[in-house]
Amino acid sequence: MSEHPHAEIRRLFDLAIEAPSSDRERLLDRECGADAPLKDRVLAMVAAAEAGDFLSRPTGDGPAADATIVAPSHERPGQMIGRYKLLELLGEGGFGSVWMAEQREPVKRRVAVKVIKLGMDTRQVIARFEAERQALALMDHPNIARVLDAGATEAGRPYFVMEYIKGVPIVGYCDTEKLDTGARLELFTRVCHAIQHAHQKGIIHRDIKPSNVLITLHDGVPVPKVIDFGIAKATNRELTDKTLFTEHRQIIGTPAYMSPEQAEMSGLDIDTRSDIYSLGVLLYELLTGTTPFATEELMSKGFAEMMRIIREVEPHKPSTRLSSLGDSATRTAQQRHTDAKKLGLILRGDLDWIVMKCLEKDRQRRYETANGLAADIARHLADEPVDAGPPSAGYKLRKFVRRNRGQVVGASVVAAILVLASGISVAFGVLATQARDAMNEARTDLREALDSEREARTTAEANEQKAVEEAERAERELARATEIKRLITEMLQSVSPEEAQGADITLLRGILDDAAERLAAGEIADELIAAELHHVVGNVYLSLGLYPEAEEHIPVAAEIRRRILGEEHPDTLATMPNVATLYLDQGRFADAEAMHSQTLEVQRRVLGGEHPDTLASMNNLVNLYKAQGRYAEAEPLALETLEIKRRVLGQEHPETLASMNNLATLYLDQGRYAEAQPLFQQTLEAMRRVLGEKHPNTLMSVHNLALLYGRQGRYADAEPLALETLEITRRVLGEEHPDTLASMNYLALLYRVQGRYAEAEPLLAQALEFQRRVLGQEHPHTLVSMGNLALLYRDQRRYAEAEPLHARVLELHRRVLGEEHVSTLGSITNLGNLYNSMGRYEDAAGMFEQSLPIKRRVLGMQHPYTAIAMRGLATAYDHLDRHDEALPLWSELLNLQLARAESPEADASTLNAAAWTLLTHDIEQLRDPRRALAYAERACAMEEAADGANLWACLDTLALAQHATGDTAAAIATQRRAIALMPTPDADQEMHDRLAEYEAALQATSG
């Protein structure tokens, strides 16, 4: 075999790999001439890389430094790379291979692993490799392939792991499914948004083409995924310290999709508008089935001429190119579910202008952003004037006619009738004249007809100009009215906590109240305008927690819109969920459920199951079920909603985060703390980042995490969060907002369970006073505060004050929520515990016997409220000397506690509580010091490893277990350490008493 220059082999390889497979033989015959060995070598290289590119390939006439042509892959199916088992080779190119692999831990899933080939781990290739890995790591978008992991093989070759995209190139998918132009534009718009996300992260793709935009199906819905950022360039930061300058005469990208500035080959002046050009080529191909410059045509010109064409030659408009395709135009049209003539009409105008604006040689004349391109396509789909189009009066008139087709058609019908009547009259007049005086009168009539025609033409032209002027005036008036409405809406909405974020809203609140008064006085004559204002004003009052004021507006807006526009109109559908939310916030569960169910049924029918508004209503219905304690209905709907939102909206969309928070509170209400905690922590972290510290949803998330810590007995963790929430809600939402009152109530509860009654009582009393006035006597939040105040009185043995409050709360819960609601069951338990405290054991047993069977059935055996009822009933039985009935309850309670301690998710506090119970149980036969010792040792080890604040409490339990099992000397040392670690060493006299007991026991043994 003859020796060939490295650069020549490289050039031929790049030409062949980009050419259609059917044309490669002919292309290489022309380029190689009689040099058959050279042709065979290039074909062998192409065959090795046929499965697809791994990274971008540098091409050109000059030598590629540090580059080695194709090296075979040394990976094999079944081989482990890190924690990934290789299953199937998906693609192999000049620089590396792509494998489908199985991840075994911490989750089991299919992934794609990219790894550099042996011999290709050169400085340049590794730089390109790291560019792709780091570019992907910067991005988080539902339409961009996610990077999951990265590392190096045992041989030191880099690899990284991406989500496995099982899809097909976008053009192939659209053609196979015969998607019409509108559906193609919808998919393309999502690609634009993905590229915009990359640009916002400072990443330019530089190789946008159909094979790098895959379509995968999620529940039958096509989802575009942009892949292969292997030649991405950082615009505002270096991707890696190994990033290299592009070498002279070394091109990056695919020629048919390459921007003119990329064809300059300097590589030093590429910005995001290069991707706009490539998006334009992709759109061109989606619309016409071909690229502006066909690959075969480019490849046939030679390297220098190919670059010149890209830089200098203006491509034909899509509609013109379609008309030149001949017979293939028919096939192209059929793939777009139409015929060639109609497709040409579809492309002519807006789409021609949009595409050609992308393909401008001068990048300053292209769209500035991918979002700008997507917005112009949206305007085209909505029959609005596009930015790329010429702003002529005729063009604007045509757009006006399309958007107002009904009114224009009506006017046209009238005009047509008048023209027809006029024509008939003229015809009869001519016939009569001809019959009376054929020649002379005919000449006269002809002259008159010509004069009439000229006059009619002049009149028509004047009318057309007038129509254009009227259309332009209507456009200006509409734009002015829209802008005024937008400004008014934004001004009123700025009063809401989400917008105000703690700013002074005194003046704006006055404007809001003034607008409400004007609406009430009927000053807005147009009902639809009034409905718009009712909608805005009512929602602002709702966000402020002013439910009576909100009720004067939101239902009114819904009624007007339903009556005039119908229940399926977008404006009606925007208001109905707010009516349901208002009812839910007022505790009117039956009304809320009826409205939510009706709204959701219409939204699913009109908008589809994955529309953001539909998903928001599903989330609202979860809230309703949760508030009623209907967990069996709430949980599957919550999981379904969250899964769809993650897929459709993205992991950190505010609506997705709201669903995560809802699912976490659902787990919390059921006592499933191990499932709730990671969800709460993840949600809070994302909300702080996405929404900010002061956003009401962030504050709610902080409150919920504090609530979880309180339920777990982690008061030291809960209190700072509760204080933070109350301080911010007071400042941002106001003293009497429902969320502020809920924060006051919870902080008081934390103080109460820690015995800090003097701090708890004023907070509870103030919260209850405000809630009675703002929310009403029977609102669920009011009842919570009443119950907590009653518990505070009970803890202080103020039974005369506690009993009527407990009884009143139970009465209202039964009437408002029903007998089996979790809050009603909690009220029964509270009253039973009060009777136990008062020594009224018969009454206590009666309350617990009434509620325990319902709790077992409704809440389940694992729920903390069920355990409280069991403990209360067992206590009552023991005091009534019904020990045979108490013992099974105590035994069952202990078994439940030990089951939680044996769980893999058991934390230090769970283990410590189980150990303490086994050491101190009132029933001697249920004590087990040796088992308690094992739990206590594990609890101390976990708490110490985590540097936990409650280590002292775990050590106190461990000391008691050591003493009970005969190791009193160790118990003394452990107890002394526990006392030393206490936040306030003198606060717990019992711990000092136990230390003295151990010391006395050891002295007695020694003596």
Side-chain angles (χ1 to χ4, degrees):
M1 181 181 293
S2 60
E3 292 297 321
H4 302 97
H6 179 88
E8 178 64 4
I9 296 173
R10 183 69 208 211
R11 184 183 72 82
L12 294 174
F13 172 79
D14 287 339
L15 289 175
I17 197 71
E18 291 295 345
S21 57
S22 59
D23 296 338
R24 284 174 184 155
E25 289 273 349
R26 181 168 54 83
L27 184 149
L28 290 175
D29 283 340
R30 185 182 70 245
E31 294 289 332
C32 300
D35 194 344
L38 175 60
K39 173 186 172 184
D40 291 341
R41 184 176 180 184
V42 173
L43 285 174
M45 291 167 56
V46 170
E50 189 64 43
D53 293 343
F54 173 64
L55 294 174
S56 58
R57 298 182 307 281
T59 61
D61 294 335
D66 296 332
T68 304
I69 310 300
V70 181
S73 172
H74 284 252
E75 287 71 41
R76 297 174 303 280
Q79 179 180 343
M80 295 296 296
I81 292 183
R83 54 187 173 183
Y84 306 98
K85 181 180 180 181
L86 302 185
L87 300 178
E88 178 185 347
L89 182 65
L90 299 176
E92 191 166 12
F95 298 129
S97 54
V98 186
W99 289 81
M100 179 172 70
E102 181 180 60
Q103 180 180 348
R104 295 297 184 87
E105 58 182 21
V107 294
K108 188 175 181 180
R109 58 184 170 185
R110 293 289 171 90
V111 296
V113 176
K114 292 191 172 187
V115 59
I116 289 209
K117 283 187 176 180
L118 188 64
M120 297 309 301
D121 44 348
T122 64
R123 184 168 60 96
Q124 184 180 47
V125 174
I126 291 175
R128 294 261 177 93
F129 178 92
E130 292 197 6
E132 180 171 7
R133 176 175 62 82
Q134 295 193 28
L136 287 170
L138 289 170
M139 292 179 283
D140 182 13
H141 191 278
N143 299 118
I144 295 177
R146 291 182 298 120
V147 66
L148 304 173
D149 194 6
T153 66
E154 292 181 358
R157 289 181 291 130
Y159 72 86
F160 72 90
V161 183
M162 296 171 56
E163 64 174 314
Y164 172 54
I165 307 297
K166 189 176 182 180
V168 296
I170 184 170
V171 174
Y173 173 83
C174 292
D175 289 349
T176 302
E177 297 296 321
K178 295 186 177 180
L179 297 188
D180 62 20
T181 303
R184 292 167 184 250
L185 291 174
E186 292 286 353
L187 283 177
F188 179 76
T189 299
R190 295 166 73 178
V191 176
C192 291
H193 291 316
I195 297 300
Q196 177 72 22
H197 176 81
H199 290 174
Q200 288 173 334
K201 297 294 185 180
I203 305 301
I204 307 171
H205 191 289
R206 297 203 295 180
D207 197 21
I208 298 169
K209 57 185 177 182
S211 59
N212 282 341
V213 181
L214 302 183
I215 301 296
T216 183
L217 296 180
H218 289 175
D219 293 338
V221 178
V223 177
K225 290 276 188 178
V226 182
I227 63 171
D228 283 351
F229 281 77
I231 52 177
K233 171 190 173 184
T235 57
N236 58 6
R237 65 178 70 86
E238 290 190 358
L239 290 176
T240 167
D241 56 4
K242 299 179 184 176
T243 299
L244 302 175
F245 289 111
T246 306
E247 297 176 16
H248 178 62
R249 295 189 60 76
Q250 186 178 25
I251 63 171
I252 287 183
T254 304
Y257 301 86
M258 185 182 298
S259 68
E261 53 268 30
Q262 283 177 283
E264 293 287 348
M265 295 181 297
S266 68
L268 299 178
D269 192 25
I270 305 298
D271 62 21
T272 57
R273 289 170 293 185
S274 180
D275 280 352
I276 302 299
Y277 184 95
S278 301
L279 284 170
V281 178
L282 178 59
L283 178 57
Y284 197 112
E285 189 170 4
L286 282 168
L287 296 174
T288 68
T290 184
T291 52
F293 305 113
T295 299
E296 179 182 354
E297 176 189 351
L298 286 175
M299 294 300 183
S300 67
K301 302 295 184 182
F303 180 78
E305 178 64 9
M306 176 172 65
M307 295 295 100
R308 188 196 68 79
I309 290 172
I310 295 171
R311 291 194 308 268
E312 300 175 10
V313 176
E314 293 290 342
H316 294 299
K317 293 184 296 184
S319 59
T320 304
R321 184 64 183 276
L322 181 72
S323 64
S324 69
L325 292 179
D327 292 340
S328 63
T330 301
R331 184 177 67 254
T332 298
Q334 289 173 346
Q335 289 171 334
R336 286 146 186 80
H337 215 63
T338 185
D339 57 64
K341 183 177 180 181
K342 189 172 181 181
L343 180 58
L345 293 173
I346 291 172
L347 299 182
R348 196 169 300 135
D350 285 2
L351 294 177
D352 275 343
W353 297 331
I354 289 172
V355 171
M356 297 311 289
K357 185 176 176 70
C358 295
L359 300 182
E360 286 281 1
K361 301 296 183 186
D362 181 357
R363 59 186 171 185
Q364 293 185 3
R365 299 180 63 185
R366 296 177 205 152
Y367 291 99
E368 287 291 328
T369 65
N371 271 356
L373 169 57
D376 229 10
I377 291 173
R379 281 188 281 270
H380 163 73
L381 292 173
D383 281 326
E384 296 176 358
V386 297
D387 287 349
S392 66
Y395 170 68
K396 288 187 174 182
L397 177 61
R398 289 194 298 274
K399 288 296 183 181
F400 180 80
V401 168
R402 287 182 188 175
R403 290 199 309 279
N404 301 276
R405 193 176 301 276
Q407 298 91 320
V408 174
V409 167
S412 300
V413 169
V414 174
I417 292 173
L418 292 175
V419 171
L420 180 62
S422 175
I424 292 172
S425 298
V426 171
F428 274 110
V430 170
L431 289 174
T433 302
Q434 286 176 339
R436 194 168 50 250
D437 191 356
M439 292 299 296
N440 293 333
E441 294 296 331
R443 290 193 184 95
T444 302
D445 287 340
L446 179 58
R447 284 194 299 271
E448 290 178 354
L450 291 172
D451 291 341
S452 296
E453 182 184 0
R454 283 192 294 272
E455 182 180 350
R457 187 182 298 114
T458 303
T459 302
E461 290 174 353
N463 287 340
E464 181 182 358
Q465 180 60 33
K466 184 176 180 181
V468 171
E469 292 172 356
E470 287 296 316
E472 290 178 339
R473 187 179 66 80
E475 290 277 2
R476 287 194 301 272
E477 290 298 320
L478 177 61
R480 190 169 72 88
T482 301
E483 182 64 14
I484 290 172
K485 187 183 82 169
R486 183 185 66 79
L487 290 171
I488 291 173
T489 301
E490 288 181 357
M491 179 182 65
L492 294 175
Q493 288 176 336
S494 64
V495 183
S496 68
E498 292 87 347
E499 298 293 331
Q501 296 275 302
D504 185 1
I505 59 169
T506 305
L507 176 61
L508 293 173
R509 175 61 192 275
I511 296 173
L512 175 70
D513 293 339
D514 181 65
E517 290 175 7
R518 290 174 180 272
L519 284 168
E523 292 186 17
I524 310 299
D526 188 298
E527 280 197 286
L528 287 177
I529 294 176
E532 177 76 14
L533 288 172
H534 277 301
H535 175 84
V536 174
V537 170
N539 284 335
V540 175
Y541 279 135
L542 180 61
S543 69
L544 292 170
L546 302 174
Y547 304 137
E549 289 85 346
E551 192 167 5
E552 294 178 6
H553 298 281
I554 298 178
V556 175
E559 187 279 325
I560 294 173
R561 287 175 165 176
R562 188 188 287 113
R563 173 166 44 84
I564 297 177
L565 303 175
E567 71 172 8
E568 295 186 357
H569 192 278
D571 288 351
T572 309
L573 289 176
T575 305
M576 290 170 64
N578 296 333
V579 179
T581 299
L582 171 65
Y583 292 158
L584 175 59
D585 288 348
Q586 291 175 306
R588 296 164 54 182
F589 297 135
D591 294 334
E593 183 170 0
M595 183 59 72
H596 271 315
S597 299
Q598 179 187 356
T599 303
L600 186 56
E601 187 275 325
V602 177
Q603 286 173 326
R604 280 175 167 155
R605 186 174 71 248
V606 176
L607 304 177
E610 296 189 351
H611 191 279
D613 292 349
T614 307
L615 296 174
S617 290
M618 291 168 68
N619 198 56
N620 291 336
L621 198 55
V622 171
N623 280 333
L624 174 67
Y625 290 153
K626 184 157 57 72
Q628 295 175 289
R630 295 159 60 181
Y631 304 126
E633 296 168 86
E635 185 168 345
L637 185 58
L639 289 168
E640 177 190 2
T641 307
L642 179 56
E643 188 277 327
I644 297 174
K645 284 184 177 181
R646 278 174 167 158
R647 176 164 41 81
V648 175
L649 302 178
Q651 180 70 26
E652 293 197 345
H653 191 282
E655 283 294 327
T656 306
L657 297 177
S659 281
M660 289 171 63
N661 186 74
N662 271 3
L663 182 61
T665 56
L666 189 62
Y667 291 150
L668 174 64
D669 288 348
Q670 297 177 80
R672 294 158 61 180
Y673 302 145
E675 295 168 90
Q677 183 169 332
L679 261 182
F680 274 138
Q681 291 170 332
Q682 182 183 355
T683 304
L684 176 56
E685 178 185 348
M687 282 185 173
R688 281 175 164 157
R689 185 169 59 251
V690 174
L691 302 176
E693 294 283 351
K694 298 179 182 179
H695 193 281
N697 288 2
T698 306
L699 298 175
M700 176 181 63
S701 193
V702 176
H703 172 81
N704 288 338
L705 186 58
L707 192 63
L708 170 71
Y709 288 155
R711 295 269 183 90
Q712 293 174 312
R714 298 168 56 182
Y715 306 130
D717 295 324
E719 186 174 338
L721 292 178
L723 286 167
E724 174 191 353
T725 307
L726 179 56
E727 187 274 324
I728 299 177
T729 52
R730 272 178 167 158
R731 177 159 38 86
V732 174
L733 305 178
E735 189 77 29
E736 297 187 4
H737 192 280
D739 290 355
T740 306
L741 300 178
S743 297
M744 292 171 63
N745 182 73
Y746 180 63
L747 182 60
L749 177 62
L750 279 179
Y751 289 153
R752 182 187 71 80
V753 296
Q754 296 177 79
R756 296 158 63 179
Y757 305 128
E759 296 169 88
E761 186 167 350
L763 274 175
L764 271 177
Q766 184 181 15
L768 181 56
E769 177 192 350
F770 287 155
Q771 285 170 328
R772 279 171 167 160
R773 185 173 72 250
V774 174
L775 303 177
Q777 180 75 20
E778 297 184 359
H779 193 279
H781 293 178
T782 307
L783 298 180
V784 168
S785 290
M786 289 172 65
N788 285 340
L789 187 59
L791 290 172
L792 179 70
Y793 290 154
R794 187 201 70 187
D795 291 348
Q796 299 177 82
R797 294 187 174 85
R798 294 160 62 180
Y799 301 135
E801 295 168 273
E803 184 178 0
L805 262 182
H806 272 311
R808 177 62 173 159
V809 170
L810 176 56
E811 174 197 348
L812 292 173
H813 271 148
R814 278 174 165 155
R815 186 169 79 243
V816 175
L817 303 176
E819 189 70 35
E820 295 189 354
H821 190 277
V822 61
S823 297
T824 306
L825 298 174
S827 294
I828 296 173
T829 297
N830 288 339
L831 193 55
N833 283 333
L834 175 67
Y835 289 151
N836 268 339
S837 300
M838 298 171 69
R840 293 166 55 180
Y841 302 117
E842 288 285 0
D843 293 333
M847 299 301 295
F848 290 124
E849 287 169 345
Q850 176 185 355
S851 66
L852 184 55
I854 302 175
K855 283 188 174 183
R856 289 181 190 271
R857 176 168 48 83
V858 175
L859 303 180
M861 288 302 303
Q862 299 294 329
H863 198 285
Y865 291 176
T866 306
I868 292 172
M870 291 168 63
R871 186 174 292 107
L873 183 57
T875 300
Y877 283 162
D878 274 338
H879 282 94
L880 293 169
D881 293 329
R882 296 163 63 178
H883 304 300
D884 291 343
E885 296 172 86
L887 182 58
L889 289 170
W890 288 122
S891 181
E892 186 177 4
L893 276 169
L894 180 59
N895 288 335
L896 288 172
Q897 189 174 21
L898 296 181
R900 287 194 293 272
E902 295 291 347
S903 167
E905 293 84 19
D907 56 15
S909 63
T910 302
L911 292 165
N912 187 61
W916 187 262
T917 302
L918 288 170
L919 290 166
T920 63
H921 204 292
D922 290 339
I923 309 298
E924 187 173 354
Q925 65 197 80
L926 297 180
R927 296 177 196 163
D928 189 343
R930 298 213 168 273
R931 193 172 184 182
L933 178 63
Y935 287 148
E937 288 173 340
R938 284 175 55 198
C940 288
M942 291 175 67
E943 193 72 7
E944 191 151 21
D947 197 21
N950 293 320
L951 177 58
W952 63 273
C954 297
L955 290 169
D956 180 38
T957 306
L958 177 59
L960 184 58
Q962 289 169 333
H963 174 62
T965 55
D967 193 355
T968 304
I972 293 172
T974 302
Q975 191 71 0
R976 285 174 177 167
R977 186 182 175 205
I979 293 173
L981 290 174
M982 286 178 64
T984 50
D986 298 328
D988 193 336
Q989 183 58 42
E990 290 184 3
M991 289 185 63
H992 291 276
D993 292 343
R994 280 193 288 276
L995 176 59
E997 178 187 343
Y998 305 155
E999 290 172 337
L1002 183 61
Q1003 187 175 4
T1005 304
S1006 301

